[in-house]
Amino acid sequence: IFYFLSIINKINGLKFDLHYSLLFLISPFFISSILSLEPISIVWTVIYASNCILIYDLIKNNFKSTIQSFRIFSFILVILLFLQLFIYGVDFISGRYVGNFRPVDFASVSLIACFLGIFSSKKNYELIFYIFSFFILTISVISRASIFTGILFLLIYFFLYMYYQNKFEMIYRLIIAFIVIFIPFYIIFFEQINPSIELLFTFLDLTDSERGFGSGFTGRLDKYLLSFEVFKQRPLFGMGYGLYDESHSGILQLLIELGLYGFFVFIIFLLNIFYGYHLYLKQVFSKKVIASISFIITFQFLAIFERQLINFGHIAGLIILFNLLFAIIVVDKYNLKIDE
């Protein structure tokens, strides 16, 4: 809304670029919504498409100022999260709430804030600050999906960082060194290490079938099975965007609302930007591009357990949308100096 109001004065010269990749990405939303014959679905689709167009235009024409705002915003948000944690603590008796934050929301916002900090950081000490902040905030509420997502993001980020810096041989040596040291160490000290692993499993409730909704690995199995039955009712084009929010999985929500057509469009879109990112990084090394591709890959893992993949009403859904649209611009301009 603020962005729209800021361009009112330029309305006469206003012209949005509708890149073919952008149109390709949002096409399943319109097709599924129109075929659903549900007005509310069409409204949600128009809002989602409007977000896509405005964010794409914002990134393309105001990239430097956008990144600068991310740098400030992420720092303020992390400080506010720490204040929330310090003031209210974690209510382990009533569901690990932090004040009025559900644990999954507190961890998701922490994950996004720290990603934005890493993405927009200029100094190594900023990077270290956001990494430590992420682990403190997510571990405090024992959010398993966010913790594993953050670890996966960092592993992919540092792997790609070293790979595109032509330090792959160093990665190979580190892996070999880890295997050579860890396996004998684990065998020798198995009796001392194993209780610690069991304690970690207990802390994360990985074997607790009662956590969540009361069935399966994370209490989500019943929801997944029910969602699959809903998907089978309209498998090709889905039931319409914005009409189902009970899946507890972004991937399943995508399948249910946009159908197989929307799912394969999304997969093709991802493969296209991954290939484009690879070509870009072969020519221009960029920490921001590496952070973006790491987040996109990692978020697909989180989308298995959480439903923010195409939910623009959640900060995580908006940030994955930002990364996808950022990727379109980078892939389209191989000579773009992102880190300058």
Side-chain angles (χ1 to χ4, degrees):
I1 291 173
F2 283 111
Y3 174 69
F4 179 75
L5 291 175
S6 71
I7 61 176
I8 288 294
N9 293 330
K10 305 175 185 177
I11 196 70
N12 292 330
L14 185 61
K15 183 180 179 181
F16 289 110
D17 292 325
L18 295 178
H19 194 277
Y20 68 89
S21 294
L22 176 58
L23 293 174
F24 182 67
L25 176 65
I26 63 179
S27 64
F29 292 83
F30 281 101
I31 292 174
S32 65
S33 297
I34 292 171
L35 292 178
S36 72
L37 302 177
E38 292 286 347
I40 188 62
S41 181
I42 297 174
V43 170
W44 285 128
T45 295
V46 171
I47 296 174
Y48 187 86
S50 300
N51 270 277
C52 289
I53 295 169
L54 290 172
I55 294 173
Y56 176 81
D57 187 72
L58 181 66
I59 301 169
K60 185 176 181 181
N61 298 317
N62 303 276
F63 179 75
K64 289 185 178 180
S65 59
T66 302
I67 297 305
Q68 182 61 27
S69 68
F70 279 176
R71 194 178 182 206
I72 298 170
F73 171 73
S74 57
F75 179 74
I76 293 174
L77 188 54
V78 168
I79 296 302
L80 289 174
L81 287 166
F82 273 116
L83 283 175
Q84 181 89 354
L85 183 62
F86 176 76
I87 293 171
Y88 294 100
V90 182
D91 187 355
F92 287 100
I93 298 176
S94 302
R96 295 173 290 116
Y97 273 69
V98 182
N100 61 342
F101 270 91
R102 294 190 309 154
V104 64
D105 291 328
F106 186 84
S108 294
V109 175
S110 301
L111 173 65
I112 296 304
C114 293
F115 161 73
L116 289 177
I118 292 171
F119 179 80
S120 59
S121 64
K122 294 182 179 180
K123 305 294 183 180
N124 287 334
Y125 67 81
E126 295 179 70
L127 185 69
I128 295 171
F129 167 75
Y130 287 113
I131 291 174
F132 275 97
S133 297
F134 163 76
F135 282 111
I136 293 171
L137 292 169
T138 54
I139 291 176
S140 66
V141 293
I142 319 178
S143 178
R144 298 168 299 185
S146 293
I147 292 171
F148 293 142
T149 300
I151 293 172
L152 183 60
F153 167 78
L154 292 173
L155 288 174
I156 295 173
Y157 177 83
F158 287 113
F159 173 83
L160 293 177
Y161 182 92
M162 298 182 74
Y163 175 79
Y164 286 106
Q165 285 280 67
N166 296 318
K167 296 180 179 178
F168 194 75
E169 185 177 347
M170 185 181 295
I171 299 175
Y172 176 75
R173 290 178 179 177
L174 287 173
I175 293 174
I176 295 299
F178 176 79
I179 293 174
V180 170
I181 295 173
F182 176 76
I183 293 180
F185 183 83
Y186 181 78
I187 293 174
I188 294 171
F189 297 99
F190 172 79
E191 293 184 358
Q192 290 81 8
I193 295 174
N194 202 47
S196 299
I197 295 175
E198 292 179 356
L199 183 64
L200 177 64
F201 272 56
T202 302
F203 175 74
L204 296 174
D205 288 339
L206 292 179
T207 56
D208 184 4
S209 64
E210 294 302 317
R211 178 165 169 174
F213 300 104
S215 69
F217 174 66
T218 58
R220 292 175 170 88
L221 183 58
D222 287 344
K223 293 248 179 188
Y224 294 164
L225 293 174
L226 177 60
S227 298
F228 184 69
E229 294 299 318
V230 175
F231 160 72
K232 290 193 295 184
Q233 297 174 13
R234 292 186 179 180
L236 191 55
F237 295 106
M239 66 186 301
Y241 178 60
L243 298 181
Y244 190 82
D245 62 353
E246 297 297 324
S247 61
H248 220 293
S249 166
I251 301 296
L252 282 174
Q253 184 180 3
L254 177 68
L255 277 167
I256 292 169
E257 295 186 354
L258 307 184
L260 288 172
Y261 171 71
F263 177 78
F264 283 113
V265 163
F266 187 69
I267 295 298
I268 293 170
F269 179 85
L270 289 182
L271 293 176
N272 179 62
I273 62 174
F274 289 158
Y275 179 68
Y277 265 162
H278 173 70
L279 295 179
Y280 179 90
L281 288 168
K282 283 291 187 180
Q283 299 180 53
V284 183
F285 179 78
S286 169
K287 294 180 182 179
K288 289 181 175 57
V289 170
I290 288 176
S292 178
I293 190 173
S294 301
F295 183 79
I296 292 172
I297 294 172
T298 303
F299 201 84
Q300 308 318 305
F301 168 78
L302 183 63
I304 298 173
F305 305 103
E306 302 297 341
R307 51 177 173 262
Q308 287 93 21
L309 182 61
I310 54 175
N311 179 9
F312 66 86
H314 192 282
I315 186 173
L318 275 176
I319 298 305
I320 187 62
L321 184 57
F322 165 84
N323 278 277
L324 296 177
L325 300 175
F326 172 68
I328 294 176
I329 295 170
V330 174
V331 169
D332 198 42
K333 297 183 177 182
Y334 294 142
N335 61 344
L336 190 65
K337 304 296 184 183
I338 296 298
D339 284 357
E340 290 185 354

